[in-house]
């Protein structure tokens, strides 16, 4: 990367994804990456996992920040990867899929920094009482990313009319 280049000039787009998210996020990421001529990295953050690195006295390595994947996580990841494969089967955009662990905002930010991402793409909160309760306890991922990034964050509105990706 040249001295005048920034993370806006090259690098992939990082997209936060989870089971049941509307296809609008995948479509938006694909169109954006296509117009920018870049790769898309879809990332699922497993909330019920822990990072491999637990001892603060040892140096952090790339491997220590990857989750220890169990059978249940493997099934969810396989489902998401299959959904992405179906949705992007006709796409010319190069894409990949990663499973991350820990706090979603921190994990996505860490991945974006590691791959020198040009932007992050996430959905806004979903409608409904259950999602408001979840946001009350966990906070808004979109807000946390938008407030704590040095790179752009594209927020894709999620609403009731948008069907989930299959």
């Amino acid at each position: 990367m040249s001295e005048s280049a920034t993370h806006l000039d090259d690098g992939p787009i990082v997209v936060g994804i989870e089971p049941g998210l509307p296809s609008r996020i995948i479509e938006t990421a694909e169109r954006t990456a296509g117009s920018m001529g870049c790769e898309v990295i879809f990332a699922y953050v497993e909330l019920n996992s822990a990072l491999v690195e637990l001892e603060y006295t040892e140096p952090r390595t790339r491997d220590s920040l990857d989750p220890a994947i169990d059978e249940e996580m493997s099934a969810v990841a396989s489902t998401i990867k299959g959904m992405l494969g179906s949705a992007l089967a006709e796409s010319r955009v190069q894409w990949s899929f990663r499973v991350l662990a820990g706090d979603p905002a921190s994990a996505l930010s860490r991945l974006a920094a590691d791959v020198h991402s040009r932007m992050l793409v996430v959905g806004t909160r979903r409608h409904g009482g259950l999602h408001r309760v979840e946001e009350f306890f966990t906070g808004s991922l979109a807000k946390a990313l938008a407030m704590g990034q040095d790179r752009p964050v594209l927020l894709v509105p999620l609403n009731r009319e948008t069907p989930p990706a299959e």
Side-chain angles (χ1 to χ4, degrees), residues 43 55-56 122 126 139:
E55 185 61 50
Y56 293 112
V122 294
R126 296 185 220 171

Side-chain angles (χ1 to χ4, degrees), residues 5 25 41 85 91 96 133 137 141:
I25 288 184
I41 300 173
S91 179
S96 60
V133 170
F137 286 106
L141 172 62

Side-chain angles (χ1 to χ4, degrees), residues 101-138:
D103 170 66
S106 297
L108 291 171
S109 294
R110 186 180 65 244
L111 175 62
D114 285 352
V115 300
H116 305 289
S117 173
R118 64 177 68 202
M119 79 168 47
L120 286 148
V121 177
V122 294
T124 59
R125 76 174 174 87
R126 296 185 220 171
H127 297 282
L130 182 60
H131 295 292
R132 280 193 286 272
V133 170
E134 178 184 358
E135 185 176 303
F136 175 77
F137 286 106
T138 62

Side-chain angles (χ1 to χ4, degrees), residues 7 22 30 38 47 59-60 64 77-78 82 87 92 114 118-119 132 153:
H7 58 309
E30 178 191 22
C38 66
L47 294 173
R60 292 182 181 200
S64 71
S78 179
R92 295 177 191 217
D114 285 352
R118 64 177 68 202
M119 79 168 47
R132 280 193 286 272
V153 179

Side-chain angles (χ1 to χ4, degrees), residues 52-118:
V52 174
E53 178 186 330
L54 296 175
E55 185 61 50
Y56 293 112
T57 59
E58 295 185 23
R60 292 182 181 200
T61 65
R62 183 182 238 42
D63 291 338
S64 71
L65 296 175
D66 290 333
I69 297 179
D70 64 18
E71 208 171 296
E72 184 180 339
M73 284 173 63
S74 229
V76 171
S78 179
T79 298
I80 295 171
K81 191 169 184 178
M83 173 194 65
L84 290 169
S86 295
L88 298 168
E90 304 291 321
S91 179
R92 295 177 191 217
V93 171
Q94 185 178 13
W95 65 275
S96 60
F97 174 66
R98 304 234 184 133
V99 178
L100 307 174
D103 170 66
S106 297
L108 291 171
S109 294
R110 186 180 65 244
L111 175 62
D114 285 352
V115 300
H116 305 289
S117 173
R118 64 177 68 202

